[in-house]
Amino acid sequence: MKLDLFKWEKPAWIVSSLLVLISIVAMAICWAQFQAPFKPGLDFVGGTRLQLQLECASKNNCPAAIDVAKVQDILGGVGLGNSSVQVIEDYTLSIRQQTLDVEQREAVLKALNEGIGKFDPETIQIDTVGPTVGKALFRSGVLALVISLLGIIVYLTIRFQLDYAVFAIVALLYDALITMGAFAIFGLVGGVEVDSLFLVSLLTIIGFSVNDTVVIYDRVRETLELHPDWSLDYAVDDAVNQTLTRSINTSLTTCLPLVAIFLFGGDTLKFFALALLIGFTSGVYSSIFLATTLWAWWRKRRSPKNPPREMVAEV
C-alpha cells in the first residue's frame, strides 16, 4: 500500500477542521441544555437511578414494549415529571431523578406496577450518587487527563524534540475532541449519557493514539538520519508508508474485539466500546494526517532552504 501523504495534506486539514467545528458546536448546544459539554450521567450530577424489568420479559409474553410517554405521565402523577426516562430493549426501564428517599422510591415502584404492569422485583437496581461525589469524580477525571498530557509532552520532548511533542498533543486533543463531540451529538439525538467510564475511554484513546504517533516519529527521525540529502516531504512520506500497514493492522485487530463488545457486551460496556472505536479510528487518522503533516509544515517554515520534494537522492 502506497500513500501519497502530502497530496492529501490540505483536504485532511479541511475535513479535520470541519469535524472539530461540528464537535464544538454540538458541545456548545449540550452546554446550553445540560450545563456540560455532553449529557452527564449519574456519576457526575448525582441523583438516583432506578432500573427494573417487566416480569413478563423473562417469559417472552409481554404484550407491548414500554411506552416512554406513559411512564412520564405516571411519574408526573407522583411529582417526578421531570425525570429522565429511557427504555432498554423494550421491557427494561431506566429512570434518573434527583436523590429519592425510601418513601419516594416505593411510591414510584407502586405507581409503575399499577400503570405499566408487574415488574420483577429481582431485577430492580437502585443506584444513588451524591452531587459532591459526582463533582469529585469529574474533577479527578479531568485532572488525570491533564497529567497524562503533560507526561506525554515531557516524554516526547526528551525522546525527540519539543516540536514533535507539541504536534503529537495537537493530534491527541483532536482525538479527544472528536470523541467528545460524537457523544455530545449522541446525547442530543439519542439521550446517551456520559459516565465515569467515558473518562477512562479518553485516557485509553490518548495512550493508544500517542503510541501510533511515536512509531511514525521514530521512523521519520531514522529516515532523516539515514538520508540527510532527501527533502523533508519525501522522507516523511517514505517513513509514513513504511509504518502504514503496521498501523492499519494494529488498529483493525484492536477494533474487532471492541465491535464484539459493542454488539454483545451489554448496556454497561456498549458506549465504552463505542467511544474507544471512535477514538482509535481517529487516532490512526490523526497520527498520519495531522501529527506528521503539521510537524513537517512547521519544520519547513523553520528551514525554508529545505530542498523541494523532487530533489531527492536516487533510491
Side-chain angles (χ1 to χ4, degrees):
M1 178 181 289
K2 176 69 175 177
L3 173 68
D4 191 348
L5 179 63
F6 292 94
K7 176 183 177 182
W8 299 99
E9 178 184 51
K10 290 183 179 178
W13 290 356
I14 293 171
V15 170
S16 301
S17 301
L18 288 174
L19 291 175
V20 168
L21 180 61
I22 292 171
S23 297
I24 292 174
V25 170
M27 288 190 288
I29 296 172
C30 277
W31 193 277
Q33 291 192 19
F34 311 122
Q35 289 73 54
F38 27 69
K39 188 174 183 180
L42 186 69
D43 290 358
F44 297 137
V45 297
T48 299
R49 178 170 53 205
L50 299 176
Q51 185 166 308
L52 56 169
Q53 186 182 67
L54 284 171
E55 203 171 61
C56 59
S58 60
K59 303 174 184 177
N60 295 320
N61 61 351
C62 294
I66 297 173
D67 185 357
V68 173
K70 189 174 181 179
V71 174
Q72 290 282 15
D73 289 340
I74 293 171
L75 293 175
V78 293
L80 299 173
N82 61 340
S83 300
S84 173
V85 178
Q86 183 179 8
V87 175
I88 304 168
E89 296 179 352
D90 292 340
Y91 310 119
T92 300
L93 187 60
S94 178
I95 301 169
R96 196 189 76 186
Q97 182 52 268
Q98 76 273 7
T99 304
L100 303 176
D101 57 30
V102 176
E103 291 182 2
Q104 290 174 312
R105 294 201 295 263
E106 289 179 352
V108 170
L109 293 173
K110 182 180 178 181
L112 290 173
N113 277 297
E114 292 174 354
I116 303 295
K118 182 67 174 176
F119 284 89
D120 186 352
E122 295 184 359
T123 65
I124 296 176
Q125 299 178 24
I126 302 175
D127 301 315
T128 300
V129 177
T132 303
V133 175
K135 291 179 181 177
L137 281 172
F138 182 76
R139 286 196 299 268
S140 298
V142 172
L143 181 62
L145 285 172
V146 172
I147 291 174
S148 64
L149 290 175
L150 290 175
I152 289 169
I153 290 176
V154 172
Y155 167 74
L156 290 178
T157 302
I158 294 172
R159 178 164 179 176
F160 299 99
Q161 292 180 28
L162 180 59
D163 56 353
Y164 284 91
V166 168
F167 292 111
I169 293 299
V170 169
L172 297 182
L173 292 175
Y174 172 83
D175 300 334
L177 187 60
I178 293 303
T179 307
M180 292 170 64
F183 273 76
I185 295 172
F186 297 155
L188 292 170
V189 176
V192 175
E193 297 178 349
V194 166
D195 57 17
S196 55
L197 275 178
F198 183 71
L199 293 178
V200 176
S201 71
L202 290 181
L203 287 168
T204 309
I205 288 165
I206 287 173
F208 182 88
S209 180
V210 76
N211 177 65
D212 255 354
T213 305
V214 167
V215 170
I216 294 175
Y217 278 174
D218 231 3
R219 191 56 57 90
V220 168
R221 184 174 60 178
E222 290 175 2
T223 303
L224 288 172
E225 289 175 355
L226 288 171
H227 305 283
D229 52 337
W230 283 11
S231 72
L232 186 63
D233 281 4
Y234 190 86
V236 169
D237 192 65
D238 182 73
V240 168
N241 278 283
Q242 288 182 52
T243 59
L244 186 61
T245 302
R246 172 224 176 259
S247 296
I248 292 174
N249 289 342
T250 302
S251 300
L252 281 176
T253 53
T254 305
C255 287
L256 286 175
L258 291 175
V259 172
I261 293 172
F262 175 73
L263 295 175
F264 311 111
D267 295 314
T268 304
L269 296 176
K270 180 177 182 179
F271 292 109
F272 174 69
L274 180 59
L276 291 181
L277 281 169
I278 295 170
F280 287 178
T281 304
S282 174
V284 175
Y285 166 82
S286 65
S287 295
I288 296 171
F289 290 101
L290 294 182
T292 309
T293 58
L294 287 171
W295 175 84
W297 166 80
W298 171 253
R299 279 297 174 99
K300 285 183 288 186
R301 283 177 59 88
R302 288 180 56 195
S303 304
K305 295 181 180 181
N306 182 64
R309 180 179 173 86
E310 293 77 14
M311 294 176 61
V312 298
E314 294 293 330
V315 182

